[in-house]
Amino acid sequence: MAKPVADWQSNKEAVQATNDDASASKLSCVKKGYIKDDYVHLFVRRPVRRSPIINRGYFARWAAFRKLLNQFLDTEVGEKGELRKQILSLGAGFDTTYFQLQDEGTAPYLYVELDFKEVTRKKATIIETCSQMRDKISATASISRERGEVLSDHYKLLPVDLRDIHQLNEVIALAGMDPSLPTFIIAECVLIYIDPKSSREIVGWASNTFSTAIFFLYEQILPDDAFGEQMIRNLESRGCALLGIHDTPTLEAKEGLFLDRGWQRAVAWDMLKVYSTFVDTQERRRIERLELFDEFEEWHMMQASQLFLCVVK
Ligand code: SAH
């Protein structure tokens, strides 16, 4: 029987499944020695081995993101000593950055993660049942698997549909976010699955809500070249349309999306440039020795289609 038309548009379950893919890819990188993440294995039922090009791509994304985040966390403290900072991760999926930062001793005052309830429920269950994670949040934390919530002193996980700005305001208030504190907002492979109108609203909301903020965006661009067309076909066949890609298909268009909505400075690079000029040379040398790699042409196309954007206000 032919699939109903709606299946070819972005659907919730298929988009949530991209989170499972991301976790499996991160675990593949961990096993090969590209990155360190002592928690991601808890979220992967069936580990898979990814190809060197996928491993290298994930490494580049992780290394660049962590470098930017560490710069935010490292910046000067206020005159009176400690400066409170907060991180807001939109569509956080099973990302474990908070727990890694805890181990590194650099976790911020507040780390808030949002996702659909189906995802936060699974994450809350793992956090509650795996002592390795449970021990990293305060003993007094309240965890509800049913509601998909974790409320601890410095870490909060809450369910929301990001397209509902009213609900977004409610959850960040519930999480105790302070709009006047320096805030690092993460949207990694999330807004691209959301319709352009809602994405614009989220970008505008973030700029109106937080007085000092950095917005980090990572997602696909360039839908119209041969590589982009194939990438879109692959994702659509799984039911995940990249709903945002045609509205802002280039580096400049993505910058414009933010600059038009109250953000002051935007720098968009593709991942080729990020890999060769932002990721530390030593780290690059280290990982380039991990696996035999000869897919240079595909690597160039793939990395050119990935956007790394940092916006500040
Ligand atoms: N940021 C994570 C996960 C990416 S997968 C990472 O990079 O590893 C995309 C995530 O966005 C999924 O977990 C999906 O459930 C979430 N998501 C997509 N649209 C959403 C929406 N409208 N509201 C809340 N979460 C959403």
Side-chain angles (χ1 to χ4, degrees):
M1 205 173 79
K3 284 191 167 210
V5 175
D7 270 10
W8 293 89
Q9 291 169 2
S10 218
N11 78 61
K12 216 171 155 183
E13 282 125 59
V15 171
Q16 288 168 5
T18 65
N19 171 47
D20 295 311
D21 271 5
S23 305
S25 297
K26 286 177 197 170
L27 183 58
S28 165
C29 282
V30 170
K31 294 204 160 184
K32 277 280 170 197
Y34 284 86
I35 65 175
K36 180 170 155 59
D37 182 333
D38 293 336
Y39 303 94
V40 69
H41 68 279
L42 301 169
F43 294 93
V44 181
R45 270 209 212 118
R46 265 169 266 120
V48 286
R49 197 191 294 169
R50 298 278 197 237
S51 59
I53 192 171
I54 300 290
N55 286 336
R56 192 177 285 196
Y58 260 86
F59 163 78
R61 167 173 162 185
W62 176 85
F65 161 67
R66 285 303 300 271
K67 184 169 176 179
L68 199 64
L69 186 67
N70 288 344
Q71 284 173 358
F72 168 77
L73 292 169
D74 282 349
T75 45
E76 278 302 295
V77 294
E79 271 182 15
K80 289 194 189 119
E82 190 202 11
L83 174 63
R84 291 181 163 184
K85 292 176 190 163
Q86 52 192 9
I87 297 176
L88 172 62
S89 180
L90 305 173
F94 294 155
D95 185 70
T96 65
T97 302
Y98 173 74
F99 299 87
Q100 297 169 36
L101 296 178
Q102 272 288 338
D103 290 339
E104 293 164 24
T106 54
Y109 172 68
L110 183 60
Y111 198 114
V112 179
E113 297 190 320
L114 308 178
D115 208 299
F116 282 127
K117 190 184 270 181
E118 292 84 350
V119 176
T120 61
R121 270 186 177 153
K122 290 186 198 155
K123 194 167 189 173
T125 303
I126 306 255
I127 292 173
E128 189 176 32
T129 52
C130 298
S131 57
Q132 199 190 339
M133 297 195 93
R134 182 68 187 78
D135 292 349
K136 291 282 159 8
I137 57 173
S138 42
T140 52
S142 111
I143 303 180
S144 164
R145 296 190 204 180
E146 174 58 28
R147 288 198 302 275
E149 273 182 23
V150 175
L151 294 170
S152 70
D153 289 349
H154 303 289
Y155 170 79
K156 325 265 177 181
L157 170 69
L158 287 162
V160 72
D161 184 333
L162 298 168
R163 293 167 295 189
D164 183 341
I165 298 291
H166 177 68
Q167 227 191 339
L168 252 183
N169 279 321
E170 281 179 1
V171 290
I172 65 150
L174 179 62
M177 293 197 85
D178 176 346
S180 69
L181 290 183
T183 304
F184 191 101
I185 301 161
I186 305 165
E188 226 186 323
C189 295
V190 176
L191 295 190
I192 199 78
Y193 296 112
I194 292 178
D195 65 280
K197 182 172 169 287
S198 302
S199 279
R200 282 195 289 271
E201 280 171 11
I202 294 166
V203 167
W205 166 82
S207 139
N208 291 332
T209 303
F210 299 101
S211 51
T212 309
I214 296 178
F215 199 118
F216 164 69
L217 186 78
Y218 180 99
E219 61 191 27
Q220 298 91 333
I221 48 166
L222 304 184
D224 299 318
D225 62 17
F227 185 87
E229 283 175 3
Q230 187 59 43
M231 172 174 79
I232 289 172
R233 269 198 300 274
N234 289 346
L235 280 158
E236 279 184 358
S237 69
R238 299 170 44 181
C240 322
L242 297 177
L243 295 181
I245 200 164
H246 292 289
D247 192 57
T248 46
T250 59
L251 299 173
E252 298 73 29
K254 268 321 166 194
E255 288 177 351
L257 168 70
F258 283 77
L259 297 173
D260 289 349
R261 273 158 202 86
W263 293 86
Q264 277 143 18
R265 267 183 304 139
V267 179
W269 286 3
D270 67 36
M271 284 304 290
L272 272 181
K273 184 168 174 184
V274 169
Y275 186 68
S276 57
T277 64
F278 188 61
V279 172
D280 290 343
T281 316
Q282 274 188 337
E283 272 291 273
R284 243 175 26 228
R285 287 209 190 105
R286 180 185 68 81
I287 67 101
E288 285 180 359
R289 285 197 289 259
L290 292 174
E291 288 184 282
L292 198 64
F293 188 93
D294 54 11
E295 302 153 289
F296 292 101
E297 206 179 317
E298 208 190 340
W299 167 254
H300 273 80
M301 289 188 296
M302 187 178 104
Q303 294 304 94
S305 75
Q306 306 293 311
L307 157 117
F308 186 91
L309 173 77
C310 175
V311 202
V312 291
K313 79 167 281 249

